Amino acid sequence: MAPWIVASLYLIDLALKIVALGVVPKNRRPSSGMAWLLLILVVPLFGWVIFLVLGRTKLGRRRNEQQAEVNALVAERAAHVPTLERDFPGPAYVRSVATLSRNLGAQPVTPGNKIDLFPVYAESIAAMTAEVDKASAWVHVEFYITAWDNVTGPFYEALARAVDRGVKVRLLFDHLGSKGIPGYKEFTARLDASGIEWHPMLPIAPFKRRPDLRNHRKILVIDGMVAFTGSQNLIEPGYNKPANHKLGREWTELVARVEGPAVSALNLLFCTDWYSETEVKLTDELGTVPTPAGDIEGQVIPSGPGFSTENNLRAFTLLLYSAQRRLSITSPYFVPDESLLYAITTAAQRGVEVELFVSEAGDQFMVYHAQCSYYEALLRAGVRIYLYPAPAILHSKFFSVDDDVAVLGSSNMDMRSFVLNYEVSLMLLGPEVVAEMRKVEDNYRSISKELLLEDWLTRSRGAAYLDNVMRLTAALQ
């Protein structure tokens, strides 16, 4: 090779590295910036290509404007709602978290809610189907993954019956999340034939935005009076994948049925996402105000790339630091950033009883091994880790703090859920709802195996190496 070619390649390589040092760290957490820099310094050209495709988390000016418009509307309508600092008799930290989430996500805490938990997959779909059959005006459906299959068929048939009797049915699903499910073309054809109005969320647009920015929310609202939210996607529990069926692998979930003012907050998120995807404002549907149905105070916490403040991460971290006696966490994908890891380990080290429920076996190779890289630090800090037995996948996403707070929704405790995904979390206040959550936790504990530090340290060096490599990839946000 000619000397001038060698010199040119060297200068290009050097230039790519120097530019990266000044560009990559901008407005990025140090761990993420260092991971990107390491990739670019090791393989400059390839690293730059990946960074240009996946290194941006912005959705674009139009979507940001829409989110700001909705936040302003919510703040205006919620101005008359008393702040929790004056009204909630519980501990001060609850009031602090509620104020934080209201300032970031515009949603206030509302009293008068009734919550029913569904930890059984088939029962939650049956409950949703029954409510759709009662619909008289409109039904709003939003799920990350959905399919018309042998389990969800009754639900979609109920939606079609609703359309036939004059109910307006609107459906949103994540483009990438649902398109990868077998039978997608047949699914959309059946939707067209049913009269359901549907739109894919965040359709792939490589030159407009990062392709892996996804809408991960799970929301169902009927007539503005009843809503469902939680971890469960609208699909059969093996995700229509032959490999899962062969293994006997099914997903375990937790879904909440909601009545009361929190329904309006969940419906607002659907209407926001509908506006983003269609440019249509559902003004009439936003005017529906449910009556009080119970005595639980609740707050909807929206988060995602449309917010620059990582709403769920801030709220979760503050709640974990505030725990005084007991902290129970269930997360299928537990890949925390430094702040969340410190909050959990610090809680255990200061005497809080901390437990973490995760799956014994993972369904996502890279995420599972990145998650495993944290187990040693957690166990040494005193966190008790329970492995939900394979072949099931523990997909529920919730946690409880002392006897004061329960949080459930679509958000994992990983950087994807904190930065790259639109998520919805529902914070519920009071010992009654926490007691119901404890029943779910107790059931998980009764069938799970506790992971002990001495056993974990006997795993092979190859497995530990793989875990650490995957941990590095998790920081490429």
Side-chain angles (χ1 to χ4, degrees):
M1 185 179 295
W4 69 267
I5 296 178
V6 175
S8 297
L9 291 175
Y10 173 78
L11 291 175
I12 291 172
D13 178 87
L14 182 62
L16 290 173
K17 293 175 180 178
I18 292 174
V19 172
L21 290 173
V23 172
V24 170
K26 181 180 180 181
N27 296 327
R28 197 178 300 275
R29 57 172 49 85
S31 59
S32 177
M34 287 300 296
W36 278 114
L37 284 174
L38 179 60
L39 178 64
I40 293 172
L41 293 176
V42 172
V43 279
L45 184 57
F46 175 77
W48 262 109
V49 171
I50 297 301
F51 177 75
L52 292 175
V53 174
L54 298 178
R56 296 174 296 125
T57 59
K58 302 300 182 183
L59 279 168
R61 181 177 57 83
R62 179 57 183 153
R63 283 183 179 263
N64 290 336
E65 289 175 348
Q66 289 171 328
Q67 186 67 64
E69 183 180 342
V70 170
N71 285 352
L73 175 63
V74 175
E76 179 184 347
R77 293 189 175 186
H80 68 283
V81 178
T83 58
L84 194 64
E85 293 94 329
R86 293 198 302 268
D87 301 333
F88 186 66
Y93 80 83
V94 176
R95 300 193 292 273
S96 180
V97 176
T99 300
L100 169 72
S101 297
R102 181 170 182 169
N103 289 339
L104 298 182
Q107 300 278 16
V109 171
T110 56
N113 298 290
K114 181 177 184 294
I115 306 294
D116 296 301
L117 298 180
F118 289 87
V120 179
Y121 204 106
E123 290 180 2
S124 61
I125 291 181
M128 290 189 283
T129 302
E131 293 299 336
V132 169
D133 274 328
K134 300 175 187 177
S136 60
W138 47 266
V139 178
H140 290 163
V141 190
E142 177 177 350
F143 285 83
Y144 173 61
I145 294 175
T146 186
W148 196 323
D149 53 42
N150 62 310
V151 172
T152 64
F155 176 83
Y156 276 103
E157 290 160 9
L159 292 180
R161 289 193 298 271
V163 172
D164 290 341
R165 64 177 182 268
V167 174
K168 185 66 175 179
V169 178
R170 301 179 177 94
L171 169 65
L172 292 171
F173 54 81
D174 186 81
H175 182 219
L176 191 62
S178 293
K179 194 171 184 178
I181 300 299
Y184 176 77
K185 289 185 177 179
E186 293 80 3
F187 169 57
T188 56
R190 296 182 77 174
L191 291 178
D192 288 335
S194 71
I196 297 170
E197 185 178 357
W198 63 275
H199 294 274
M201 296 184 290
L202 293 173
I204 301 300
F207 299 104
K208 291 180 61 178
R209 56 177 172 264
R210 177 173 172 163
D212 62 341
L213 297 179
R214 311 311 323 152
N215 194 316
H216 195 240
R217 292 169 176 166
K218 291 94 176 172
I219 299 171
L220 170 66
V221 185
I222 300 97
D223 292 338
M225 296 297 165
V226 178
F228 291 81
T229 192
S231 64
Q232 185 171 325
N233 287 300
L234 194 58
I235 189 172
E236 66 90 17
Y239 279 56
N240 293 321
K241 300 290 180 67
N244 291 335
H245 296 158
K246 184 177 180 180
L247 292 170
R249 175 183 288 170
E250 294 189 345
W251 271 239
T252 298
E253 310 285 1
L254 184 65
V255 175
R257 179 186 182 275
V258 184
E259 292 182 74
V263 174
S264 292
L266 291 168
N267 185 51
L268 175 70
L269 293 192
F270 175 91
C271 293
T272 302
D273 291 335
W274 188 265
Y275 180 31
S276 294
E277 301 301 344
T278 68
E279 294 287 341
V280 175
K281 298 180 182 180
L282 302 177
T283 306
D284 293 340
E285 289 78 357
L286 283 174
T288 305
V289 180
T291 57
D295 55 5
I296 295 173
E297 299 195 71
Q299 183 179 34
V300 170
I301 303 174
S303 57
F307 297 89
S308 62
T309 46
E310 297 175 359
N311 303 355
N312 48 358
L313 174 59
R314 292 174 187 266
F316 292 1
T317 303
L318 180 53
L319 283 168
L320 300 186
Y321 271 119
S322 300
Q324 297 299 308
R325 297 180 303 279
R326 182 176 176 183
L327 185 58
S328 182
I329 302 167
T330 299
S331 180
Y333 311 118
F334 182 82
V335 188
D337 77 333
E338 294 90 338
S339 65
L340 196 69
L341 179 64
Y342 284 2
I344 293 171
T345 53
T346 299
Q349 289 163 338
R350 59 188 169 85
V352 176
E353 295 180 12
V354 183
E355 60 182 2
L356 171 66
F357 293 97
V358 292
S359 294
E360 180 181 25
D363 65 307
Q364 296 187 22
F365 179 84
M366 295 176 66
V367 176
Y368 173 72
H369 283 284
Q371 172 176 292
C372 288
S373 74
Y374 291 91
Y375 288 173
E376 181 177 344
L378 293 168
L379 291 168
R380 289 190 183 279
V383 176
R384 303 183 73 174
I385 300 177
Y386 292 93
L387 304 178
Y388 195 85
I393 298 297
L394 182 59
H395 195 248
S396 305
K397 311 161 197 300
F398 65 91
F399 66 97
S400 57
V401 183
D402 297 339
D403 295 324
D404 306 312
V405 179
V407 178
L408 82 160
S410 67
S411 181
N412 299 304
M413 287 197 173
D414 66 358
M415 292 316 301
R416 165 157 290 280
S417 283
F418 296 143
V419 179
L420 304 179
N421 289 346
Y422 280 103
E423 305 284 4
V424 55
S425 301
L426 179 60
M427 183 172 73
L428 304 168
L429 309 179
E432 295 83 5
V433 70
V434 174
E436 292 302 307
M437 194 79 83
R438 295 277 188 242
K439 294 177 183 178
V440 181
E441 297 163 359
D442 292 343
N443 177 59
Y444 288 175
R445 194 181 309 102
S446 70
I447 62 177
S448 297
K449 174 186 176 182
E450 184 172 3
L451 178 64
L452 301 178
L453 178 61
E454 54 265 32
D455 296 330
W456 183 244
L457 293 178
T458 63
R459 76 192 194 286
S460 69
R461 291 183 179 180
Y465 177 83
L466 181 60
D467 293 344
N468 292 332
V469 172
M470 294 302 105
R471 178 170 176 164
L472 179 64
T473 66
L476 295 176
Q477 307 294 347

